[in-house]
Amino acid sequence: MERDEVQAIIEQFIEEVWNQGNLGAVGELLSPELVYHEPMQTIRGIESYRQFVETFRATFPNARFTWQDLVIEGDRAAFRWALQPARGGNTPVLPIPPTGLTFDMSGQTAFRFE
């Protein structure tokens, strides 16, 4: 897979799945054998990942991710991301009232492409 193709997929993933909440794109862009590691959990499979995104977006409905420092090497890619969401929704995962306060969040994500 060419570098431009990998970058386009990552940009589409961030924009459609995370920024627009298009949960249908999860199945189009990610493998059914998806394994996603979070600090406190490991998510396996498309449906579990959709639920993860849905819960995050319900809790932080105005979250908008931006990516930085994309590195592509062979079948792997990694990038840093940043966002500044406001606590706007209430979910069973975080059952406290919305505050509307913003905060900074950043992290990194790595992909393996097939």
Side-chain angles (χ1 to χ4, degrees):
M1 190 174 283
E2 297 293 323
R3 178 182 172 77
D4 291 346
E5 290 176 279
V6 170
Q7 182 170 336
I9 291 169
I10 289 171
E11 288 175 352
Q12 181 182 7
F13 172 73
I14 293 169
E15 184 57 33
E16 288 190 30
V17 174
W18 285 100
N19 291 342
Q20 296 176 19
N22 177 1
L23 299 178
V26 171
E28 296 169 13
L29 296 170
L30 301 177
S31 169
E33 290 84 35
L34 163 81
V35 178
Y36 180 76
H37 300 284
E38 277 287 306
M40 298 185 66
Q41 67 179 328
T42 296
I43 298 166
R44 296 179 187 281
I46 296 296
E47 191 52 42
S48 295
Y49 192 80
R50 278 188 187 121
Q51 290 170 2
F52 173 72
V53 173
E54 187 173 42
T55 299
F56 184 91
R57 288 190 45 80
T59 306
F60 305 106
N62 71 329
R64 181 147 184 89
F65 284 80
T66 57
W67 65 269
Q68 306 143 355
D69 301 327
L70 176 63
V71 177
I72 300 169
E73 183 73 32
D75 66 345
R76 298 179 187 269
F79 62 93
R80 290 185 315 118
W81 52 261
L83 72 145
Q84 188 180 51
R87 174 82 174 87
N90 194 14
T91 70
V93 175
L94 194 57
I96 57 175
T99 63
L101 298 174
T102 61
F103 60 94
D104 292 322
M105 182 183 267
S106 63
Q108 57 190 7
T109 300
F111 288 96
R112 183 175 57 86
F113 287 82
E114 295 181 347

